[in-house]
mmCIF file of all heavy atoms in Angstrom:
data_model
loop_
_atom_site.group_PDB
_atom_site.id
_atom_site.type_symbol
_atom_site.label_atom_id
_atom_site.label_comp_id
_atom_site.label_asym_id
_atom_site.label_seq_id
_atom_site.Cartn_x
_atom_site.Cartn_y
_atom_site.Cartn_z
ATOM 1 N N TYR A 1 33.891 8.920 37.318
ATOM 2 C CA TYR A 1 33.553 10.325 37.125
ATOM 3 C C TYR A 1 32.059 10.483 36.903
ATOM 4 O O TYR A 1 31.459 9.733 36.131
ATOM 5 C CB TYR A 1 34.273 10.907 35.906
ATOM 6 C CG TYR A 1 35.729 11.188 36.140
ATOM 7 C CD1 TYR A 1 36.683 10.218 35.892
ATOM 8 C CD2 TYR A 1 36.140 12.426 36.613
ATOM 9 C CE1 TYR A 1 38.028 10.475 36.111
ATOM 10 C CE2 TYR A 1 37.477 12.685 36.835
ATOM 11 C CZ TYR A 1 38.415 11.709 36.581
ATOM 12 O OH TYR A 1 39.745 11.966 36.802
ATOM 13 N N THR A 2 31.488 11.461 37.562
ATOM 14 C CA THR A 2 30.142 11.918 37.261
ATOM 15 C C THR A 2 30.324 13.086 36.310
ATOM 16 O O THR A 2 31.034 14.039 36.624
ATOM 17 C CB THR A 2 29.412 12.383 38.530
ATOM 18 O OG1 THR A 2 29.334 11.286 39.443
ATOM 19 C CG2 THR A 2 28.021 12.878 38.213
ATOM 20 N N VAL A 3 29.716 13.001 35.135
ATOM 21 C CA VAL A 3 29.853 14.048 34.134
ATOM 22 C C VAL A 3 28.531 14.794 34.040
ATOM 23 O O VAL A 3 27.491 14.198 33.755
ATOM 24 C CB VAL A 3 30.244 13.469 32.756
ATOM 25 C CG1 VAL A 3 30.408 14.587 31.736
ATOM 26 C CG2 VAL A 3 31.517 12.640 32.875
ATOM 27 N N GLU A 4 28.599 16.073 34.284
ATOM 28 C CA GLU A 4 27.426 16.943 34.227
ATOM 29 C C GLU A 4 27.595 17.876 33.043
ATOM 30 O O GLU A 4 28.613 18.561 32.915
ATOM 31 C CB GLU A 4 27.309 17.747 35.527
ATOM 32 C CG GLU A 4 26.121 18.666 35.600
ATOM 33 C CD GLU A 4 24.791 17.937 35.588
ATOM 34 O OE1 GLU A 4 24.694 16.821 36.111
ATOM 35 O OE2 GLU A 4 23.824 18.513 35.042
ATOM 36 N N THR A 5 26.619 17.874 32.140
ATOM 37 C CA THR A 5 26.673 18.742 30.963
ATOM 38 C C THR A 5 25.565 19.782 31.045
ATOM 39 O O THR A 5 24.476 19.501 31.553
ATOM 40 C CB THR A 5 26.524 17.932 29.668
ATOM 41 O OG1 THR A 5 25.254 17.274 29.677
ATOM 42 C CG2 THR A 5 27.624 16.903 29.530
ATOM 43 N N LYS A 6 25.869 20.975 30.538
ATOM 44 C CA LYS A 6 24.866 22.045 30.538
ATOM 45 C C LYS A 6 24.963 22.836 29.252
ATOM 46 O O LYS A 6 26.046 23.154 28.778
ATOM 47 C CB LYS A 6 25.085 23.015 31.708
ATOM 48 C CG LYS A 6 24.727 22.429 33.037
ATOM 49 C CD LYS A 6 23.231 22.233 33.147
ATOM 50 C CE LYS A 6 22.894 21.489 34.414
ATOM 51 N NZ LYS A 6 21.890 20.505 34.285
ATOM 52 N N GLY A 7 23.817 23.161 28.718
ATOM 53 C CA GLY A 7 23.747 24.006 27.533
ATOM 54 C C GLY A 7 23.255 25.398 27.857
ATOM 55 O O GLY A 7 23.326 26.306 27.047
ATOM 56 N N ARG A 8 22.791 25.591 29.081
ATOM 57 C CA ARG A 8 22.266 26.904 29.475
ATOM 58 C C ARG A 8 22.607 27.156 30.937
ATOM 59 O O ARG A 8 22.910 26.235 31.686
ATOM 60 C CB ARG A 8 20.758 26.951 29.275
ATOM 61 C CG ARG A 8 20.016 25.872 30.033
ATOM 62 C CD ARG A 8 18.518 25.904 29.761
ATOM 63 N NE ARG A 8 17.854 24.683 30.134
ATOM 64 C CZ ARG A 8 17.699 24.212 31.356
ATOM 65 N NH1 ARG A 8 18.175 24.850 32.382
ATOM 66 N NH2 ARG A 8 17.057 23.095 31.580
ATOM 67 N N ALA A 9 22.538 28.413 31.316
ATOM 68 C CA ALA A 9 22.842 28.783 32.705
ATOM 69 C C ALA A 9 21.681 28.394 33.616
ATOM 70 O O ALA A 9 20.525 28.454 33.215
ATOM 71 C CB ALA A 9 23.101 30.274 32.795
ATOM 72 N N GLU A 10 21.997 27.983 34.822
ATOM 73 C CA GLU A 10 20.990 27.643 35.825
ATOM 74 C C GLU A 10 21.346 28.338 37.129
ATOM 75 O O GLU A 10 22.516 28.350 37.524
ATOM 76 C CB GLU A 10 20.964 26.137 36.098
ATOM 77 C CG GLU A 10 20.400 25.307 35.002
ATOM 78 C CD GLU A 10 20.324 23.832 35.407
ATOM 79 O OE1 GLU A 10 20.444 23.513 36.605
ATOM 80 O OE2 GLU A 10 20.165 23.008 34.508
ATOM 81 N N LEU A 11 20.362 28.872 37.810
ATOM 82 C CA LEU A 11 20.610 29.513 39.106
ATOM 83 C C LEU A 11 21.138 28.517 40.129
ATOM 84 O O LEU A 11 21.946 28.866 40.983
ATOM 85 C CB LEU A 11 19.327 30.154 39.641
ATOM 86 C CG LEU A 11 18.823 31.392 38.907
ATOM 87 C CD1 LEU A 11 17.495 31.838 39.505
ATOM 88 C CD2 LEU A 11 19.854 32.501 38.969
ATOM 89 N N ASP A 12 20.701 27.280 40.047
ATOM 90 C CA ASP A 12 21.058 26.258 41.027
ATOM 91 C C ASP A 12 22.420 25.613 40.774
ATOM 92 O O ASP A 12 22.889 24.830 41.591
ATOM 93 C CB ASP A 12 20.000 25.144 41.038
ATOM 94 C CG ASP A 12 18.623 25.647 41.398
ATOM 95 O OD1 ASP A 12 18.530 26.654 42.115
ATOM 96 O OD2 ASP A 12 17.644 25.021 40.959
ATOM 97 N N LEU A 13 23.046 25.925 39.663
ATOM 98 C CA LEU A 13 24.257 25.213 39.265
ATOM 99 C C LEU A 13 25.401 25.302 40.274
ATOM 100 O O LEU A 13 25.978 24.268 40.614
ATOM 101 C CB LEU A 13 24.717 25.671 37.886
ATOM 102 C CG LEU A 13 25.800 24.826 37.261
ATOM 103 C CD1 LEU A 13 25.362 23.372 37.130
ATOM 104 C CD2 LEU A 13 26.166 25.386 35.904
ATOM 105 N N PRO A 14 25.772 26.474 40.786
ATOM 106 C CA PRO A 14 26.872 26.500 41.766
ATOM 107 C C PRO A 14 26.593 25.636 42.992
ATOM 108 O O PRO A 14 27.472 24.911 43.469
ATOM 109 C CB PRO A 14 26.986 27.977 42.137
ATOM 110 C CG PRO A 14 26.440 28.703 40.952
ATOM 111 C CD PRO A 14 25.330 27.823 40.443
ATOM 112 N N ARG A 15 25.382 25.661 43.482
ATOM 113 C CA ARG A 15 25.015 24.846 44.639
ATOM 114 C C ARG A 15 25.060 23.357 44.286
ATOM 115 O O ARG A 15 25.546 22.530 45.056
ATOM 116 C CB ARG A 15 23.618 25.228 45.131
ATOM 117 C CG ARG A 15 23.215 24.494 46.385
ATOM 118 C CD ARG A 15 21.873 24.921 46.846
ATOM 119 N NE ARG A 15 22.010 26.292 47.338
ATOM 120 C CZ ARG A 15 21.107 26.920 48.038
ATOM 121 N NH1 ARG A 15 19.978 26.337 48.331
ATOM 122 N NH2 ARG A 15 21.295 28.140 48.453
ATOM 123 N N LYS A 16 24.555 23.005 43.109
ATOM 124 C CA LYS A 16 24.553 21.615 42.671
ATOM 125 C C LYS A 16 25.984 21.082 42.539
ATOM 126 O O LYS A 16 26.295 19.979 42.978
ATOM 127 C CB LYS A 16 23.838 21.481 41.327
ATOM 128 C CG LYS A 16 23.750 20.056 40.820
ATOM 129 C CD LYS A 16 23.278 19.978 39.383
ATOM 130 C CE LYS A 16 21.830 20.309 39.234
ATOM 131 N NZ LYS A 16 21.336 20.080 37.847
ATOM 132 N N MET A 17 26.875 21.885 41.971
ATOM 133 C CA MET A 17 28.258 21.451 41.784
ATOM 134 C C MET A 17 29.006 21.368 43.123
ATOM 135 O O MET A 17 29.816 20.460 43.321
ATOM 136 C CB MET A 17 28.996 22.377 40.821
ATOM 137 C CG MET A 17 28.497 22.311 39.392
ATOM 138 S SD MET A 17 28.692 20.665 38.641
ATOM 139 C CE MET A 17 27.050 20.018 38.791
ATOM 140 N N ALA A 18 28.711 22.277 44.043
ATOM 141 C CA ALA A 18 29.327 22.207 45.375
ATOM 142 C C ALA A 18 28.888 20.923 46.078
ATOM 143 O O ALA A 18 29.693 20.240 46.723
ATOM 144 C CB ALA A 18 28.960 23.432 46.201
ATOM 145 N N ARG A 19 27.636 20.576 45.953
ATOM 146 C CA ARG A 19 27.127 19.349 46.585
ATOM 147 C C ARG A 19 27.717 18.106 45.919
ATOM 148 O O ARG A 19 28.064 17.138 46.587
ATOM 149 C CB ARG A 19 25.598 19.318 46.533
ATOM 150 C CG ARG A 19 25.000 18.096 47.176
ATOM 151 C CD ARG A 19 25.317 18.059 48.674
ATOM 152 N NE ARG A 19 24.941 16.804 49.236
ATOM 153 C CZ ARG A 19 25.808 15.835 49.599
ATOM 154 N NH1 ARG A 19 27.107 16.000 49.471
ATOM 155 N NH2 ARG A 19 25.365 14.702 50.089
ATOM 156 N N LEU A 20 27.842 18.142 44.598
ATOM 157 C CA LEU A 20 28.435 17.014 43.885
ATOM 158 C C LEU A 20 29.897 16.837 44.287
ATOM 159 O O LEU A 20 30.351 15.710 44.501
ATOM 160 C CB LEU A 20 28.319 17.215 42.376
ATOM 161 C CG LEU A 20 28.921 16.124 41.495
ATOM 162 C CD1 LEU A 20 28.344 14.748 41.833
ATOM 163 C CD2 LEU A 20 28.696 16.459 40.031
ATOM 164 N N SER A 21 30.617 17.924 44.428
ATOM 165 C CA SER A 21 32.006 17.864 44.866
ATOM 166 C C SER A 21 32.110 17.222 46.248
ATOM 167 O O SER A 21 32.935 16.337 46.478
ATOM 168 C CB SER A 21 32.608 19.268 44.894
ATOM 169 O OG SER A 21 33.925 19.237 45.376
ATOM 170 N N GLN A 22 31.241 17.648 47.149
ATOM 171 C CA GLN A 22 31.238 17.078 48.496
ATOM 172 C C GLN A 22 30.870 15.601 48.470
ATOM 173 O O GLN A 22 31.462 14.784 49.159
ATOM 174 C CB GLN A 22 30.264 17.846 49.403
ATOM 175 C CG GLN A 22 30.277 17.377 50.840
ATOM 176 C CD GLN A 22 31.619 17.619 51.500
ATOM 177 O OE1 GLN A 22 32.125 18.741 51.486
ATOM 178 N NE2 GLN A 22 32.217 16.583 52.065
ATOM 179 N N TRP A 23 29.889 15.248 47.653
ATOM 180 C CA TRP A 23 29.499 13.840 47.543
ATOM 181 C C TRP A 23 30.669 12.992 47.064
ATOM 182 O O TRP A 23 30.900 11.895 47.581
ATOM 183 C CB TRP A 23 28.307 13.687 46.594
ATOM 184 C CG TRP A 23 27.828 12.272 46.540
ATOM 185 C CD1 TRP A 23 26.890 11.703 47.336
ATOM 186 C CD2 TRP A 23 28.312 11.231 45.682
ATOM 187 N NE1 TRP A 23 26.755 10.367 47.015
ATOM 188 C CE2 TRP A 23 27.609 10.059 46.003
ATOM 189 C CE3 TRP A 23 29.263 11.176 44.667
ATOM 190 C CZ2 TRP A 23 27.826 8.852 45.348
ATOM 191 C CZ3 TRP A 23 29.481 9.969 44.020
ATOM 192 C CH2 TRP A 23 28.767 8.826 44.360
ATOM 193 N N CYS A 24 31.413 13.483 46.064
ATOM 194 C CA CYS A 24 32.570 12.732 45.551
ATOM 195 C C CYS A 24 33.604 12.516 46.642
ATOM 196 O O CYS A 24 34.154 11.413 46.772
ATOM 197 C CB CYS A 24 33.186 13.456 44.357
ATOM 198 S SG CYS A 24 32.176 13.397 42.869
ATOM 199 N N MET A 25 33.871 13.540 47.436
ATOM 200 C CA MET A 25 34.827 13.400 48.541
ATOM 201 C C MET A 25 34.333 12.391 49.568
ATOM 202 O O MET A 25 35.083 11.527 50.025
ATOM 203 C CB MET A 25 35.103 14.751 49.189
ATOM 204 C CG MET A 25 35.952 15.665 48.326
ATOM 205 S SD MET A 25 36.446 17.185 49.156
ATOM 206 C CE MET A 25 34.959 18.163 49.011
ATOM 207 N N ASP A 26 33.050 12.493 49.933
ATOM 208 C CA ASP A 26 32.471 11.578 50.922
ATOM 209 C C ASP A 26 32.457 10.137 50.415
ATOM 210 O O ASP A 26 32.792 9.204 51.154
ATOM 211 C CB ASP A 26 31.042 12.008 51.278
ATOM 212 C CG ASP A 26 30.979 13.329 52.026
ATOM 213 O OD1 ASP A 26 32.026 13.792 52.535
ATOM 214 O OD2 ASP A 26 29.880 13.914 52.084
ATOM 215 N N ALA A 27 32.062 9.944 49.157
ATOM 216 C CA ALA A 27 31.997 8.593 48.587
ATOM 217 C C ALA A 27 33.391 7.983 48.492
ATOM 218 O O ALA A 27 33.577 6.796 48.784
ATOM 219 C CB ALA A 27 31.330 8.627 47.217
ATOM 220 N N THR A 28 34.378 8.781 48.107
ATOM 221 C CA THR A 28 35.758 8.301 48.027
ATOM 222 C C THR A 28 36.247 7.886 49.405
ATOM 223 O O THR A 28 36.862 6.825 49.569
ATOM 224 C CB THR A 28 36.674 9.384 47.426
ATOM 225 O OG1 THR A 28 36.235 9.654 46.088
ATOM 226 C CG2 THR A 28 38.121 8.937 47.405
ATOM 227 N N GLN A 29 35.966 8.696 50.395
ATOM 228 C CA GLN A 29 36.386 8.375 51.766
ATOM 229 C C GLN A 29 35.699 7.095 52.251
ATOM 230 O O GLN A 29 36.332 6.244 52.879
ATOM 231 C CB GLN A 29 36.065 9.535 52.701
ATOM 232 C CG GLN A 29 36.568 9.310 54.102
ATOM 233 C CD GLN A 29 36.303 10.512 55.007
ATOM 234 O OE1 GLN A 29 35.555 11.419 54.675
ATOM 235 N NE2 GLN A 29 36.935 10.499 56.166
ATOM 236 N N ALA A 30 34.432 6.950 51.938
ATOM 237 C CA ALA A 30 33.694 5.758 52.367
ATOM 238 C C ALA A 30 34.252 4.489 51.726
ATOM 239 O O ALA A 30 34.187 3.408 52.314
ATOM 240 C CB ALA A 30 32.208 5.909 52.029
ATOM 241 N N GLU A 31 34.821 4.607 50.544
ATOM 242 C CA GLU A 31 35.398 3.452 49.841
ATOM 243 C C GLU A 31 36.770 3.064 50.387
ATOM 244 O O GLU A 31 37.323 2.042 49.982
ATOM 245 C CB GLU A 31 35.512 3.740 48.345
ATOM 246 C CG GLU A 31 34.195 3.732 47.627
ATOM 247 C CD GLU A 31 33.620 2.339 47.472
ATOM 248 O OE1 GLU A 31 34.344 1.329 47.631
ATOM 249 O OE2 GLU A 31 32.421 2.246 47.196
ATOM 250 N N GLN A 32 37.320 3.878 51.281
ATOM 251 C CA GLN A 32 38.603 3.592 51.941
ATOM 252 C C GLN A 32 39.710 3.227 50.961
ATOM 253 O O GLN A 32 40.430 2.245 51.133
ATOM 254 C CB GLN A 32 38.423 2.489 52.988
ATOM 255 C CG GLN A 32 37.431 2.862 54.056
ATOM 256 C CD GLN A 32 37.196 1.750 55.046
ATOM 257 O OE1 GLN A 32 37.671 0.637 54.909
ATOM 258 N NE2 GLN A 32 36.432 2.068 56.077
ATOM 259 N N GLY A 33 39.811 4.047 49.894
ATOM 260 C CA GLY A 33 40.892 3.852 48.945
ATOM 261 C C GLY A 33 40.631 2.847 47.837
ATOM 262 O O GLY A 33 41.458 2.668 46.952
ATOM 263 N N ARG A 34 39.511 2.151 47.885
ATOM 264 C CA ARG A 34 39.221 1.149 46.847
ATOM 265 C C ARG A 34 38.735 1.793 45.550
ATOM 266 O O ARG A 34 39.030 1.303 44.470
ATOM 267 C CB ARG A 34 38.202 0.139 47.355
ATOM 268 C CG ARG A 34 38.723 -0.735 48.488
ATOM 269 C CD ARG A 34 37.697 -1.751 48.922
ATOM 270 N NE ARG A 34 36.455 -1.160 49.370
ATOM 271 C CZ ARG A 34 36.164 -0.875 50.651
ATOM 272 N NH1 ARG A 34 37.030 -1.151 51.603
ATOM 273 N NH2 ARG A 34 35.012 -0.337 50.983
ATOM 274 N N VAL A 35 37.951 2.853 45.663
ATOM 275 C CA VAL A 35 37.404 3.548 44.498
ATOM 276 C C VAL A 35 37.514 5.047 44.747
ATOM 277 O O VAL A 35 37.277 5.511 45.860
ATOM 278 C CB VAL A 35 35.910 3.188 44.262
ATOM 279 C CG1 VAL A 35 35.342 3.956 43.082
ATOM 280 C CG2 VAL A 35 35.734 1.692 44.060
ATOM 281 N N ARG A 36 37.883 5.773 43.702
ATOM 282 C CA ARG A 36 37.931 7.229 43.777
ATOM 283 C C ARG A 36 36.808 7.795 42.914
ATOM 284 O O ARG A 36 36.593 7.334 41.791
ATOM 285 C CB ARG A 36 39.280 7.736 43.270
ATOM 286 C CG ARG A 36 39.435 9.233 43.360
ATOM 287 C CD ARG A 36 40.868 9.636 42.960
ATOM 288 N NE ARG A 36 40.915 10.999 42.551
ATOM 289 C CZ ARG A 36 40.798 11.456 41.310
ATOM 290 N NH1 ARG A 36 40.635 10.608 40.310
ATOM 291 N NH2 ARG A 36 40.851 12.729 41.040
ATOM 292 N N TYR A 37 36.075 8.750 43.469
ATOM 293 C CA TYR A 37 34.997 9.413 42.741
ATOM 294 C C TYR A 37 35.404 10.853 42.462
ATOM 295 O O TYR A 37 36.030 11.510 43.294
ATOM 296 C CB TYR A 37 33.699 9.413 43.557
ATOM 297 C CG TYR A 37 33.102 8.041 43.715
ATOM 298 C CD1 TYR A 37 33.483 7.208 44.758
ATOM 299 C CD2 TYR A 37 32.170 7.570 42.801
ATOM 300 C CE1 TYR A 37 32.946 5.940 44.898
ATOM 301 C CE2 TYR A 37 31.625 6.302 42.936
ATOM 302 C CZ TYR A 37 32.016 5.499 43.986
ATOM 303 O OH TYR A 37 31.487 4.256 44.120
ATOM 304 N N ASP A 38 35.042 11.338 41.288
ATOM 305 C CA ASP A 38 35.326 12.716 40.902
ATOM 306 C C ASP A 38 34.214 13.164 39.954
ATOM 307 O O ASP A 38 33.339 12.373 39.600
ATOM 308 C CB ASP A 38 36.695 12.802 40.223
ATOM 309 C CG ASP A 38 37.323 14.185 40.317
ATOM 310 O OD1 ASP A 38 36.605 15.162 40.638
ATOM 311 O OD2 ASP A 38 38.533 14.288 40.068
ATOM 312 N N PHE A 39 34.262 14.413 39.556
ATOM 313 C CA PHE A 39 33.245 14.905 38.629
ATOM 314 C C PHE A 39 33.871 15.846 37.615
ATOM 315 O O PHE A 39 34.955 16.376 37.820
ATOM 316 C CB PHE A 39 32.108 15.620 39.379
ATOM 317 C CG PHE A 39 32.495 16.978 39.921
ATOM 318 C CD1 PHE A 39 32.220 18.122 39.202
ATOM 319 C CD2 PHE A 39 33.140 17.095 41.142
ATOM 320 C CE1 PHE A 39 32.589 19.363 39.699
ATOM 321 C CE2 PHE A 39 33.490 18.327 41.650
ATOM 322 C CZ PHE A 39 33.220 19.468 40.916
ATOM 323 N N VAL A 40 33.157 16.029 36.515
ATOM 324 C CA VAL A 40 33.532 16.972 35.476
ATOM 325 C C VAL A 40 32.271 17.727 35.081
ATOM 326 O O VAL A 40 31.236 17.115 34.811
ATOM 327 C CB VAL A 40 34.106 16.260 34.229
ATOM 328 C CG1 VAL A 40 34.460 17.268 33.146
ATOM 329 C CG2 VAL A 40 35.305 15.409 34.584
ATOM 330 N N PHE A 41 32.378 19.047 35.062
ATOM 331 C CA PHE A 41 31.291 19.886 34.581
ATOM 332 C C PHE A 41 31.658 20.368 33.184
ATOM 333 O O PHE A 41 32.714 20.959 32.982
ATOM 334 C CB PHE A 41 31.064 21.087 35.501
ATOM 335 C CG PHE A 41 30.127 22.106 34.908
ATOM 336 C CD1 PHE A 41 28.776 21.859 34.881
ATOM 337 C CD2 PHE A 41 30.605 23.268 34.347
ATOM 338 C CE1 PHE A 41 27.897 22.774 34.316
ATOM 339 C CE2 PHE A 41 29.745 24.195 33.782
ATOM 340 C CZ PHE A 41 28.389 23.944 33.764
ATOM 341 N N VAL A 42 30.809 20.104 32.197
ATOM 342 C CA VAL A 42 31.067 20.471 30.806
ATOM 343 C C VAL A 42 29.955 21.386 30.328
ATOM 344 O O VAL A 42 28.806 20.962 30.220
ATOM 345 C CB VAL A 42 31.142 19.214 29.902
ATOM 346 C CG1 VAL A 42 31.434 19.608 28.468
ATOM 347 C CG2 VAL A 42 32.156 18.217 30.430
ATOM 348 N N ASP A 43 30.334 22.642 30.054
ATOM 349 C CA ASP A 43 29.329 23.557 29.504
ATOM 350 C C ASP A 43 29.468 23.584 27.979
ATOM 351 O O ASP A 43 30.555 23.398 27.428
ATOM 352 C CB ASP A 43 29.472 24.959 30.090
ATOM 353 C CG ASP A 43 30.772 25.617 29.710
ATOM 354 O OD1 ASP A 43 31.824 25.227 30.261
ATOM 355 O OD2 ASP A 43 30.739 26.511 28.845
ATOM 356 N N GLU A 44 28.365 23.787 27.314
ATOM 357 C CA GLU A 44 28.313 23.688 25.857
ATOM 358 C C GLU A 44 29.245 24.680 25.162
ATOM 359 O O GLU A 44 29.981 24.299 24.234
ATOM 360 C CB GLU A 44 26.880 23.904 25.375
ATOM 361 C CG GLU A 44 26.714 23.773 23.882
ATOM 362 C CD GLU A 44 25.280 23.954 23.439
ATOM 363 O OE1 GLU A 44 24.486 24.580 24.158
ATOM 364 O OE2 GLU A 44 24.969 23.459 22.340
ATOM 365 N N ASP A 45 29.260 25.925 25.597
ATOM 366 C CA ASP A 45 30.096 26.931 24.933
ATOM 367 C C ASP A 45 31.573 26.560 24.989
ATOM 368 O O ASP A 45 32.291 26.638 23.988
ATOM 369 C CB ASP A 45 29.881 28.316 25.550
ATOM 370 C CG ASP A 45 28.505 28.882 25.250
ATOM 371 O OD1 ASP A 45 27.868 28.434 24.268
ATOM 372 O OD2 ASP A 45 28.069 29.776 26.000
#
């Protein structure tokens, strides 16, 4: 898991999380079932 934490709002956050989601899917596919990648976004509130 890639864990992303935030304490404040960022304009770039939706784009960053969409890219991270895609990266996790691509990396998992490249591993051909050997490793699964995922992410968690944790906001402070």
Side-chain angles (χ1 to χ4, degrees):
Y1 284 90
T2 300
V3 181
E4 181 64 33
T5 61
K6 288 291 173 221
R8 57 183 163 67
E10 289 184 15
L11 290 176
D12 300 332
L13 191 58
R15 184 178 290 193
K16 182 191 288 187
M17 292 298 101
R19 181 64 189 106
L20 179 55
S21 177
Q22 184 64 53
W23 184 90
C24 289
M25 288 187 281
D26 293 345
T28 297
Q29 184 177 13
E31 287 288 343
Q32 300 177 354
R34 293 182 301 266
V35 178
R36 182 174 158 267
Y37 291 87
D38 204 344
F39 73 96
V40 179
F41 169 76
V42 181
D43 65 286
E44 182 178 23
D45 291 339

